[in-house]
């Protein structure tokens, strides 16, 4: 099968075939591409060829394609598909993808498509859950076994039922009322003696989540316990669905992107290939907030305009004090935000984390304060310059360590995302306070600075 | 099984049991904890209790523990274990973990431990590979089937061999010289007719990598194609080992952390709970570089000291121009670094990405330049203030967009990590150039500013 290494060339061949009238040639070219790469290819195709591309796919292939497309593209594809076709395609895609698509349709269309779907009974109960929760990620694609079965009966049952591609890996033992009794490992099933009762093969104390559990937590649990799938149960331990490890991997990757984006004030739906106007509009709000904070810093400087007019060299040290403080604090924030996201920092660790970042801020502040202070003294020829600049830097780096830990820990304590524009808040503080320390000390010692 | 929700309480119970003499009570408490949580627990245990904890684990449990521990802790545990015990423990852990541990031992110890290991034959060939490559991640834990087998024979073979926990999921068809012929899905094996030849059930054109493939690429391929495992073959298609999806998930998460860390000049082995001195030493080098760049910015300001002495309000706008430029550029860098890491940006996209980020920089520059320019004019009462401040900000945001795309794309073109301290480089430029634009324009129009 052709993999992405060859797709640049393939893209041209397929585009050419789609432009021509040789349907078979185009179909053959598409068939030679892995479904994951088909999605990439479709996303990069000239828009007018997209329709022709879709028309050549079977319902199975189109269903698989939906699963690999970026969310926005998927929505656009679904919106343009005839409702009857869409119903057939959604029958062939995984439940969580079908649910995502159905949610984006106008309500009347959702009902129409659902009524034409063979899998409506499985998909409908999933529609009520939050998108970014365990409920929104789960699928009903698993095999339910009876506690009374033997290993042999379970294997025969599977051979007759012929579960879909992935389903066969997720085997759950449910009683008549769908209460989760245990999880069976396919390997155990294969290597156990045929007459062994299934209850002796299953793991009883499976780790589970509830439908409302946040998707970030779901991904973390799957990664932490290295699970293949995580069963989602209600408060009575009735199995509602499962979240699979590959979805967890996608979520973990999206959440990492989101954290990186949020720290610098980007919205999580921004992307490299969004149109300029869309991206610009998405980036403006936080930059506007940043402008306000920059005005605060400017206002702080304005307070000391007279001092600067008297000792203009103070302005020279402004970027040093503000910049070192900002970068130092951003390091602390990054460590803490990532530690929280990965679950390394638990609530009881807050005090320890704070103490550590403050200590590091102090160590760095003493060190860099001494260096910069000495440089300032040497350059300006008066010891007061060393004191003012060195002390200002030291104080600012100390504050940066304190805020670098406090901002994300505080946001988490308030049940907010610890990453939200925390970088922008932090640099606002290190700018404003850095200028206050530098120019304030400068004003106090103005006589010694001249 | 107790999960992490309960571990805070469990930790106390276990610490208490370890301090006492009731070995059975302590063993029972430890046995009730999931292996993943045992690792967390061990890492948080008071050091003097760690030895007692380890002494209570069987070789299997200790082997499993090693797989879940942080790399640094794992090394420390291995270093302290008697060599004979370590050999027994490594026999029970996955090959890639065993290899990682063996690599950290003094060479003479490696030989001694290996000679005592039952799995030495499987592990030794893995020792020669780069740690952060497919070769360093791979394990030989898979089931090798013959092309002449039938489905029934394959199942019987597995039932007799009783492969270890995970191995059973990874079935590869190899000829007599270990050339990879195809991959068999466990589900296909279960639902196919017993007399079907195995070659009819297998997938022939499996996606593979070579041992030297970088681990980031390995993780990306596993995620992109949603694989359970990725076979590693040499240039003759001889199967050398496999990389499993759970290892890929760990790698993807580590690489995301590394990118976040590197952008702000942190080393990837820094962590929340490293001792203050260790962390401080790790963070100093880049902050020292940052200090040099801050001096450059300061030097730029120093050039215009006379101008500032004449129009001190220029200093007020310094943080606005530098800060808006820096934050705007950091947004571009974050988008590009993440797009490169996720493989969304391919080499042929460089021009398009650059054009987009420059356009956004221009849009943002025009907008914010107009706002700030108007504010400066209004505050200082002379239109020249609006021109100087507005134009400086516009230019700086334009440059920020340009550099925000060029720095990571350029680092990637030079085969360097696009994230390496790119944030620190960028803000160096936006500071220096921002001050040049603002103070340079100010100097040119100094007569109109007074």
């Amino acid at each position: 099968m052709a993999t992405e290494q060859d797709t640049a060339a393939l893209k041209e061949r397929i585009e050419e075939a789609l432009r021509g009238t040789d349907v078979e040639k185009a179909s053959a070219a598409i068939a030679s591409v892995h479904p994951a790469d088909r999605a990439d290819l479709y996303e990069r195709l000239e828009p007018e060829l997209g329709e022709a591309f879709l028309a050549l796919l079977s319902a199975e292939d189109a269903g698989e394609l939906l699963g690999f497309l970026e969310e926005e593209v998927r929505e656009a594809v679904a919106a343009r598909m005839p409702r009857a076709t869409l119903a057939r395609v959604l029958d062939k895609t995984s439940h969580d993808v079908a649910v995502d698509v159905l949610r984006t349709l106008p309500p009347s269309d959702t009902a129409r498509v659902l009524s034409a779907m063979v899998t409506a009974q499985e998909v409908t109960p999933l529609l009520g859950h939050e998108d970014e929760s365990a409920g929104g990620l789960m699928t009903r694609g698993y095999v339910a076994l009876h506690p009374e079965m033997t290993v042999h009966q379970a294997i025969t049952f599977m051979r007759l039922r012929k579960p879909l591609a992935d389903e066969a890996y997720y085997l759950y033992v449910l009683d008549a009322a769908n209460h989760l009794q245990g999880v069976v490992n396919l390997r155990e099933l294969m290597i156990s003696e045929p007459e062994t009762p299934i209850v002796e093969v299953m793991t009883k104390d499976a780790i589970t989540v509830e439908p409302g559990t946040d998707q970030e937590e779901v991904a973390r649990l799957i990664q932490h316990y290295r699970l293949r799938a995580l069963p989602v149960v209600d408060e009575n331990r009735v199995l509602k669905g499962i979240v699979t490890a590959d979805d967890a991997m996608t979520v973990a990757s999206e959440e990492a992107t989101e954290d990186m984006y949020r720290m610098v004030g980007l919205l999580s739906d921004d992307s490299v290939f969004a149109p300029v106007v869309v991206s610009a509009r998405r980036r403006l709000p936080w930059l506007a907030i940043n402008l306000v904070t920059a005005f605060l810093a400017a206002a702080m400087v304005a307070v000391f305009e007279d001092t600067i007019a008297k000792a203009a060299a103070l302005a020279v040290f402004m970027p040093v004090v503000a910049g070192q403080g900002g970068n130092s604090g951003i390091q602390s924030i990054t460590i803490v935000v990532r530690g929280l996201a990965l679950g390394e920092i638990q609530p009881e660790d807050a005090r320890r984390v704070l103490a550590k970042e403050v200590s590091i801020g102090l160590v760095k502040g003493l060190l860099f304060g001494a260096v910069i202070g000495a440089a300032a003294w040497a350059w300006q020829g008066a010891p007061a310059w060393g004191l003012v600049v060195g002390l200002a830097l030291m104080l600012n780096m100390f504050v940066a360590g304190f805020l670098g830990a406090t901002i994300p820990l505080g946001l988490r304590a308030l049940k907010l995302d610890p990453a939200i524009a925390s970088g922008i808040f932090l640099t606002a503080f290190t700018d404003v306070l850095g200028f206050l320390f530098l120019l304030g000390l400068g004003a106090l010692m103005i006589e010694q600075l001249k």
Side-chain angles (χ1 to χ4, degrees), chain A residues 133-162:
Chain A
S133 70
L137 278 180
M138 71 192 179
T139 148
R140 312 262 288 197
Y142 52 81
V143 177
L145 301 173
H146 265 278
E148 282 83 31
M149 281 179 170
T150 63
V151 164
H152 175 72
Q153 286 169 329
I155 292 179
T156 311
F157 172 72
M158 286 186 66
R159 192 163 282 160
L160 289 173
R161 223 202 93 174
K162 289 207 192 304

PDB file of all heavy atoms in Angstrom, chain A residues 133-162:
ATOM      1  N   SER A 133     -16.461  14.815  26.555  1.00  0.00           N
ATOM      2  CA  SER A 133     -16.512  13.939  27.723  1.00  0.00           C
ATOM      3  C   SER A 133     -16.365  12.499  27.278  1.00  0.00           C
ATOM      4  O   SER A 133     -16.369  12.198  26.087  1.00  0.00           O
ATOM      5  CB  SER A 133     -17.860  14.103  28.428  1.00  0.00           C
ATOM      6  OG  SER A 133     -18.873  13.539  27.608  1.00  0.00           O
ATOM      7  N   ALA A 134     -16.241  11.602  28.260  1.00  0.00           N
ATOM      8  CA  ALA A 134     -16.175  10.171  27.951  1.00  0.00           C
ATOM      9  C   ALA A 134     -17.378   9.773  27.099  1.00  0.00           C
ATOM     10  O   ALA A 134     -17.249   9.032  26.128  1.00  0.00           O
ATOM     11  CB  ALA A 134     -16.153   9.367  29.254  1.00  0.00           C
ATOM     12  N   GLY A 135     -18.560  10.318  27.442  1.00  0.00           N
ATOM     13  CA  GLY A 135     -19.769   9.991  26.699  1.00  0.00           C
ATOM     14  C   GLY A 135     -19.677  10.383  25.235  1.00  0.00           C
ATOM     15  O   GLY A 135     -20.174   9.688  24.355  1.00  0.00           O
ATOM     16  N   GLY A 136     -19.033  11.513  24.972  1.00  0.00           N
ATOM     17  CA  GLY A 136     -18.898  11.989  23.601  1.00  0.00           C
ATOM     18  C   GLY A 136     -17.867  11.220  22.797  1.00  0.00           C
ATOM     19  O   GLY A 136     -17.848  11.276  21.576  1.00  0.00           O
ATOM     20  N   LEU A 137     -16.980  10.520  23.480  1.00  0.00           N
ATOM     21  CA  LEU A 137     -15.907   9.778  22.794  1.00  0.00           C
ATOM     22  C   LEU A 137     -16.266   8.320  22.593  1.00  0.00           C
ATOM     23  O   LEU A 137     -15.589   7.612  21.865  1.00  0.00           O
ATOM     24  CB  LEU A 137     -14.639   9.795  23.660  1.00  0.00           C
ATOM     25  CG  LEU A 137     -13.728  10.994  23.634  1.00  0.00           C
ATOM     26  CD1 LEU A 137     -12.570  10.745  24.583  1.00  0.00           C
ATOM     27  CD2 LEU A 137     -13.213  11.238  22.232  1.00  0.00           C
ATOM     28  N   MET A 138     -17.335   7.865  23.279  1.00  0.00           N
ATOM     29  CA  MET A 138     -17.482   6.413  23.340  1.00  0.00           C
ATOM     30  C   MET A 138     -18.193   5.830  22.130  1.00  0.00           C
ATOM     31  O   MET A 138     -18.885   6.507  21.383  1.00  0.00           O
ATOM     32  CB  MET A 138     -18.158   5.993  24.649  1.00  0.00           C
ATOM     33  CG  MET A 138     -19.611   6.318  24.771  1.00  0.00           C
ATOM     34  SD  MET A 138     -20.137   6.084  26.487  1.00  0.00           S
ATOM     35  CE  MET A 138     -21.868   6.579  26.340  1.00  0.00           C
ATOM     36  N   THR A 139     -17.957   4.547  21.950  1.00  0.00           N
ATOM     37  CA  THR A 139     -18.599   3.799  20.886  1.00  0.00           C
ATOM     38  C   THR A 139     -19.239   2.566  21.513  1.00  0.00           C
ATOM     39  O   THR A 139     -18.874   2.156  22.616  1.00  0.00           O
ATOM     40  CB  THR A 139     -17.569   3.373  19.814  1.00  0.00           C
ATOM     41  OG1 THR A 139     -17.961   2.128  19.256  1.00  0.00           O
ATOM     42  CG2 THR A 139     -16.178   3.214  20.403  1.00  0.00           C
ATOM     43  N   ARG A 140     -20.236   2.017  20.806  1.00  0.00           N
ATOM     44  CA  ARG A 140     -20.837   0.774  21.288  1.00  0.00           C
ATOM     45  C   ARG A 140     -20.232  -0.410  20.552  1.00  0.00           C
ATOM     46  O   ARG A 140     -20.792  -1.498  20.541  1.00  0.00           O
ATOM     47  CB  ARG A 140     -22.349   0.825  21.057  1.00  0.00           C
ATOM     48  CG  ARG A 140     -23.004   2.129  21.519  1.00  0.00           C
ATOM     49  CD  ARG A 140     -23.626   2.030  22.839  1.00  0.00           C
ATOM     50  NE  ARG A 140     -24.843   1.224  22.791  1.00  0.00           N
ATOM     51  CZ  ARG A 140     -25.755   1.241  23.746  1.00  0.00           C
ATOM     52  NH1 ARG A 140     -25.577   2.014  24.799  1.00  0.00           N
ATOM     53  NH2 ARG A 140     -26.822   0.493  23.653  1.00  0.00           N
ATOM     54  N   GLY A 141     -19.115  -0.194  19.907  1.00  0.00           N
ATOM     55  CA  GLY A 141     -18.480  -1.243  19.117  1.00  0.00           C
ATOM     56  C   GLY A 141     -17.666  -2.194  19.968  1.00  0.00           C
ATOM     57  O   GLY A 141     -16.447  -2.101  20.004  1.00  0.00           O
ATOM     58  N   TYR A 142     -18.325  -3.095  20.679  1.00  0.00           N
ATOM     59  CA  TYR A 142     -17.621  -4.103  21.479  1.00  0.00           C
ATOM     60  C   TYR A 142     -18.451  -5.380  21.422  1.00  0.00           C
ATOM     61  O   TYR A 142     -19.578  -5.378  20.933  1.00  0.00           O
ATOM     62  CB  TYR A 142     -17.445  -3.628  22.916  1.00  0.00           C
ATOM     63  CG  TYR A 142     -18.713  -3.158  23.568  1.00  0.00           C
ATOM     64  CD1 TYR A 142     -19.625  -4.078  24.104  1.00  0.00           C
ATOM     65  CD2 TYR A 142     -19.023  -1.812  23.625  1.00  0.00           C
ATOM     66  CE1 TYR A 142     -20.802  -3.636  24.665  1.00  0.00           C
ATOM     67  CE2 TYR A 142     -20.202  -1.372  24.189  1.00  0.00           C
ATOM     68  CZ  TYR A 142     -21.085  -2.290  24.717  1.00  0.00           C
ATOM     69  OH  TYR A 142     -22.264  -1.862  25.280  1.00  0.00           O
ATOM     70  N   VAL A 143     -17.893  -6.448  21.937  1.00  0.00           N
ATOM     71  CA  VAL A 143     -18.605  -7.718  21.960  1.00  0.00           C
ATOM     72  C   VAL A 143     -19.060  -7.985  23.386  1.00  0.00           C
ATOM     73  O   VAL A 143     -18.251  -7.931  24.313  1.00  0.00           O
ATOM     74  CB  VAL A 143     -17.696  -8.862  21.477  1.00  0.00           C
ATOM     75  CG1 VAL A 143     -18.424 -10.200  21.578  1.00  0.00           C
ATOM     76  CG2 VAL A 143     -17.235  -8.603  20.050  1.00  0.00           C
ATOM     77  N   ALA A 144     -20.356  -8.235  23.564  1.00  0.00           N
ATOM     78  CA  ALA A 144     -20.891  -8.521  24.897  1.00  0.00           C
ATOM     79  C   ALA A 144     -21.020 -10.024  25.068  1.00  0.00           C
ATOM     80  O   ALA A 144     -21.671 -10.697  24.271  1.00  0.00           O
ATOM     81  CB  ALA A 144     -22.248  -7.842  25.064  1.00  0.00           C
ATOM     82  N   LEU A 145     -20.385 -10.562  26.096  1.00  0.00           N
ATOM     83  CA  LEU A 145     -20.448 -11.995  26.384  1.00  0.00           C
ATOM     84  C   LEU A 145     -21.305 -12.221  27.624  1.00  0.00           C
ATOM     85  O   LEU A 145     -21.454 -11.322  28.459  1.00  0.00           O
ATOM     86  CB  LEU A 145     -19.036 -12.541  26.626  1.00  0.00           C
ATOM     87  CG  LEU A 145     -18.029 -12.365  25.477  1.00  0.00           C
ATOM     88  CD1 LEU A 145     -16.641 -12.800  25.915  1.00  0.00           C
ATOM     89  CD2 LEU A 145     -18.469 -13.113  24.227  1.00  0.00           C
ATOM     90  N   HIS A 146     -21.835 -13.426  27.727  1.00  0.00           N
ATOM     91  CA  HIS A 146     -22.661 -13.807  28.884  1.00  0.00           C
ATOM     92  C   HIS A 146     -21.813 -14.424  29.980  1.00  0.00           C
ATOM     93  O   HIS A 146     -20.910 -15.198  29.672  1.00  0.00           O
ATOM     94  CB  HIS A 146     -23.685 -14.853  28.457  1.00  0.00           C
ATOM     95  CG  HIS A 146     -24.976 -14.241  28.104  1.00  0.00           C
ATOM     96  ND1 HIS A 146     -25.911 -13.884  29.034  1.00  0.00           N
ATOM     97  CD2 HIS A 146     -25.476 -13.892  26.901  1.00  0.00           C
ATOM     98  CE1 HIS A 146     -26.938 -13.349  28.418  1.00  0.00           C
ATOM     99  NE2 HIS A 146     -26.709 -13.333  27.119  1.00  0.00           N
ATOM    100  N   PRO A 147     -22.117 -14.169  31.223  1.00  0.00           N
ATOM    101  CA  PRO A 147     -21.327 -14.789  32.296  1.00  0.00           C
ATOM    102  C   PRO A 147     -21.433 -16.320  32.290  1.00  0.00           C
ATOM    103  O   PRO A 147     -20.546 -16.992  32.801  1.00  0.00           O
ATOM    104  CB  PRO A 147     -21.920 -14.214  33.586  1.00  0.00           C
ATOM    105  CG  PRO A 147     -22.933 -13.219  33.193  1.00  0.00           C
ATOM    106  CD  PRO A 147     -23.139 -13.251  31.736  1.00  0.00           C
ATOM    107  N   GLU A 148     -22.497 -16.872  31.720  1.00  0.00           N
ATOM    108  CA  GLU A 148     -22.650 -18.341  31.755  1.00  0.00           C
ATOM    109  C   GLU A 148     -21.887 -19.055  30.646  1.00  0.00           C
ATOM    110  O   GLU A 148     -21.858 -20.272  30.602  1.00  0.00           O
ATOM    111  CB  GLU A 148     -24.134 -18.739  31.676  1.00  0.00           C
ATOM    112  CG  GLU A 148     -24.878 -18.576  32.989  1.00  0.00           C
ATOM    113  CD  GLU A 148     -25.323 -17.142  33.158  1.00  0.00           C
ATOM    114  OE1 GLU A 148     -25.586 -16.480  32.129  1.00  0.00           O
ATOM    115  OE2 GLU A 148     -25.339 -16.646  34.304  1.00  0.00           O
ATOM    116  N   MET A 149     -21.343 -18.287  29.691  1.00  0.00           N
ATOM    117  CA  MET A 149     -20.656 -18.924  28.574  1.00  0.00           C
ATOM    118  C   MET A 149     -19.375 -19.633  29.020  1.00  0.00           C
ATOM    119  O   MET A 149     -18.769 -19.285  30.028  1.00  0.00           O
ATOM    120  CB  MET A 149     -20.255 -17.860  27.550  1.00  0.00           C
ATOM    121  CG  MET A 149     -21.379 -17.394  26.654  1.00  0.00           C
ATOM    122  SD  MET A 149     -20.705 -16.119  25.526  1.00  0.00           S
ATOM    123  CE  MET A 149     -22.080 -15.948  24.390  1.00  0.00           C
ATOM    124  N   THR A 150     -18.948 -20.611  28.204  1.00  0.00           N
ATOM    125  CA  THR A 150     -17.598 -21.148  28.350  1.00  0.00           C
ATOM    126  C   THR A 150     -16.722 -20.453  27.311  1.00  0.00           C
ATOM    127  O   THR A 150     -17.232 -19.757  26.430  1.00  0.00           O
ATOM    128  CB  THR A 150     -17.545 -22.654  28.073  1.00  0.00           C
ATOM    129  OG1 THR A 150     -17.933 -22.859  26.709  1.00  0.00           O
ATOM    130  CG2 THR A 150     -18.468 -23.421  29.006  1.00  0.00           C
ATOM    131  N   VAL A 151     -15.419 -20.684  27.419  1.00  0.00           N
ATOM    132  CA  VAL A 151     -14.484 -20.119  26.446  1.00  0.00           C
ATOM    133  C   VAL A 151     -14.854 -20.570  25.035  1.00  0.00           C
ATOM    134  O   VAL A 151     -14.895 -19.777  24.087  1.00  0.00           O
ATOM    135  CB  VAL A 151     -13.038 -20.545  26.812  1.00  0.00           C
ATOM    136  CG1 VAL A 151     -12.094 -20.319  25.642  1.00  0.00           C
ATOM    137  CG2 VAL A 151     -12.565 -19.782  28.032  1.00  0.00           C
ATOM    138  N   HIS A 152     -15.176 -21.865  24.901  1.00  0.00           N
ATOM    139  CA  HIS A 152     -15.525 -22.413  23.597  1.00  0.00           C
ATOM    140  C   HIS A 152     -16.768 -21.722  23.031  1.00  0.00           C
ATOM    141  O   HIS A 152     -16.812 -21.341  21.856  1.00  0.00           O
ATOM    142  CB  HIS A 152     -15.754 -23.916  23.717  1.00  0.00           C
ATOM    143  CG  HIS A 152     -16.244 -24.541  22.450  1.00  0.00           C
ATOM    144  ND1 HIS A 152     -15.427 -24.703  21.348  1.00  0.00           N
ATOM    145  CD2 HIS A 152     -17.467 -25.013  22.099  1.00  0.00           C
ATOM    146  CE1 HIS A 152     -16.127 -25.267  20.372  1.00  0.00           C
ATOM    147  NE2 HIS A 152     -17.363 -25.462  20.801  1.00  0.00           N
ATOM    148  N   GLN A 153     -17.774 -21.556  23.884  1.00  0.00           N
ATOM    149  CA  GLN A 153     -19.007 -20.897  23.433  1.00  0.00           C
ATOM    150  C   GLN A 153     -18.746 -19.451  23.013  1.00  0.00           C
ATOM    151  O   GLN A 153     -19.317 -18.962  22.047  1.00  0.00           O
ATOM    152  CB  GLN A 153     -20.058 -20.945  24.543  1.00  0.00           C
ATOM    153  CG  GLN A 153     -20.677 -22.334  24.709  1.00  0.00           C
ATOM    154  CD  GLN A 153     -21.513 -22.436  25.960  1.00  0.00           C
ATOM    155  OE1 GLN A 153     -21.229 -21.776  26.964  1.00  0.00           O
ATOM    156  NE2 GLN A 153     -22.533 -23.283  25.909  1.00  0.00           N
ATOM    157  N   ALA A 154     -17.884 -18.791  23.764  1.00  0.00           N
ATOM    158  CA  ALA A 154     -17.569 -17.395  23.432  1.00  0.00           C
ATOM    159  C   ALA A 154     -16.902 -17.319  22.053  1.00  0.00           C
ATOM    160  O   ALA A 154     -17.237 -16.453  21.234  1.00  0.00           O
ATOM    161  CB  ALA A 154     -16.656 -16.796  24.497  1.00  0.00           C
ATOM    162  N   ILE A 155     -15.970 -18.242  21.783  1.00  0.00           N
ATOM    163  CA  ILE A 155     -15.280 -18.211  20.497  1.00  0.00           C
ATOM    164  C   ILE A 155     -16.258 -18.517  19.366  1.00  0.00           C
ATOM    165  O   ILE A 155     -16.264 -17.846  18.326  1.00  0.00           O
ATOM    166  CB  ILE A 155     -14.097 -19.217  20.496  1.00  0.00           C
ATOM    167  CG1 ILE A 155     -13.020 -18.719  21.464  1.00  0.00           C
ATOM    168  CG2 ILE A 155     -13.524 -19.386  19.095  1.00  0.00           C
ATOM    169  CD1 ILE A 155     -11.805 -19.621  21.578  1.00  0.00           C
ATOM    170  N   THR A 156     -17.118 -19.509  19.567  1.00  0.00           N
ATOM    171  CA  THR A 156     -18.119 -19.846  18.551  1.00  0.00           C
ATOM    172  C   THR A 156     -19.042 -18.651  18.302  1.00  0.00           C
ATOM    173  O   THR A 156     -19.344 -18.299  17.154  1.00  0.00           O
ATOM    174  CB  THR A 156     -18.961 -21.056  19.012  1.00  0.00           C
ATOM    175  OG1 THR A 156     -18.073 -22.071  19.440  1.00  0.00           O
ATOM    176  CG2 THR A 156     -19.836 -21.566  17.890  1.00  0.00           C
ATOM    177  N   PHE A 157     -19.452 -18.019  19.394  1.00  0.00           N
ATOM    178  CA  PHE A 157     -20.320 -16.840  19.296  1.00  0.00           C
ATOM    179  C   PHE A 157     -19.661 -15.760  18.438  1.00  0.00           C
ATOM    180  O   PHE A 157     -20.284 -15.178  17.552  1.00  0.00           O
ATOM    181  CB  PHE A 157     -20.584 -16.320  20.721  1.00  0.00           C
ATOM    182  CG  PHE A 157     -21.311 -15.006  20.786  1.00  0.00           C
ATOM    183  CD1 PHE A 157     -22.662 -14.921  20.461  1.00  0.00           C
ATOM    184  CD2 PHE A 157     -20.645 -13.843  21.175  1.00  0.00           C
ATOM    185  CE1 PHE A 157     -23.327 -13.708  20.526  1.00  0.00           C
ATOM    186  CE2 PHE A 157     -21.305 -12.632  21.243  1.00  0.00           C
ATOM    187  CZ  PHE A 157     -22.653 -12.573  20.918  1.00  0.00           C
ATOM    188  N   MET A 158     -18.385 -15.539  18.677  1.00  0.00           N
ATOM    189  CA  MET A 158     -17.674 -14.514  17.900  1.00  0.00           C
ATOM    190  C   MET A 158     -17.543 -14.927  16.446  1.00  0.00           C
ATOM    191  O   MET A 158     -17.669 -14.106  15.555  1.00  0.00           O
ATOM    192  CB  MET A 158     -16.294 -14.260  18.497  1.00  0.00           C
ATOM    193  CG  MET A 158     -16.376 -13.479  19.789  1.00  0.00           C
ATOM    194  SD  MET A 158     -14.762 -13.048  20.388  1.00  0.00           S
ATOM    195  CE  MET A 158     -14.221 -11.926  19.100  1.00  0.00           C
ATOM    196  N   ARG A 159     -17.262 -16.205  16.224  1.00  0.00           N
ATOM    197  CA  ARG A 159     -17.080 -16.647  14.845  1.00  0.00           C
ATOM    198  C   ARG A 159     -18.374 -16.465  14.057  1.00  0.00           C
ATOM    199  O   ARG A 159     -18.359 -16.104  12.874  1.00  0.00           O
ATOM    200  CB  ARG A 159     -16.620 -18.107  14.838  1.00  0.00           C
ATOM    201  CG  ARG A 159     -16.130 -18.561  13.494  1.00  0.00           C
ATOM    202  CD  ARG A 159     -15.313 -19.844  13.579  1.00  0.00           C
ATOM    203  NE  ARG A 159     -13.959 -19.612  14.049  1.00  0.00           N
ATOM    204  CZ  ARG A 159     -13.179 -20.571  14.567  1.00  0.00           C
ATOM    205  NH1 ARG A 159     -13.627 -21.808  14.690  1.00  0.00           N
ATOM    206  NH2 ARG A 159     -11.959 -20.283  14.954  1.00  0.00           N
ATOM    207  N   LEU A 160     -19.508 -16.678  14.713  1.00  0.00           N
ATOM    208  CA  LEU A 160     -20.799 -16.517  14.046  1.00  0.00           C
ATOM    209  C   LEU A 160     -21.128 -15.045  13.852  1.00  0.00           C
ATOM    210  O   LEU A 160     -21.628 -14.630  12.816  1.00  0.00           O
ATOM    211  CB  LEU A 160     -21.912 -17.170  14.883  1.00  0.00           C
ATOM    212  CG  LEU A 160     -21.880 -18.698  14.898  1.00  0.00           C
ATOM    213  CD1 LEU A 160     -22.909 -19.231  15.886  1.00  0.00           C
ATOM    214  CD2 LEU A 160     -22.151 -19.236  13.483  1.00  0.00           C
ATOM    215  N   ARG A 161     -20.835 -14.250  14.900  1.00  0.00           N
ATOM    216  CA  ARG A 161     -21.250 -12.836  14.836  1.00  0.00           C
ATOM    217  C   ARG A 161     -20.356 -12.022  13.950  1.00  0.00           C
ATOM    218  O   ARG A 161     -20.729 -10.958  13.496  1.00  0.00           O
ATOM    219  CB  ARG A 161     -21.251 -12.250  16.256  1.00  0.00           C
ATOM    220  CG  ARG A 161     -22.459 -11.381  16.519  1.00  0.00           C
ATOM    221  CD  ARG A 161     -22.209 -10.419  17.652  1.00  0.00           C
ATOM    222  NE  ARG A 161     -21.732  -9.142  17.159  1.00  0.00           N
ATOM    223  CZ  ARG A 161     -21.535  -8.087  17.914  1.00  0.00           C
ATOM    224  NH1 ARG A 161     -21.738  -8.149  19.198  1.00  0.00           N
ATOM    225  NH2 ARG A 161     -21.097  -6.953  17.388  1.00  0.00           N
ATOM    226  N   LYS A 162     -19.138 -12.474  13.712  1.00  0.00           N
ATOM    227  CA  LYS A 162     -18.146 -11.744  12.908  1.00  0.00           C
ATOM    228  C   LYS A 162     -18.130 -10.248  13.244  1.00  0.00           C
ATOM    229  O   LYS A 162     -18.563  -9.416  12.450  1.00  0.00           O
ATOM    230  CB  LYS A 162     -18.422 -11.924  11.409  1.00  0.00           C
ATOM    231  CG  LYS A 162     -18.106 -13.326  10.904  1.00  0.00           C
ATOM    232  CD  LYS A 162     -17.741 -13.318   9.437  1.00  0.00           C
ATOM    233  CE  LYS A 162     -17.721 -14.733   8.871  1.00  0.00           C
ATOM    234  NZ  LYS A 162     -16.808 -15.635   9.633  1.00  0.00           N
TER     235      LYS A 162
END
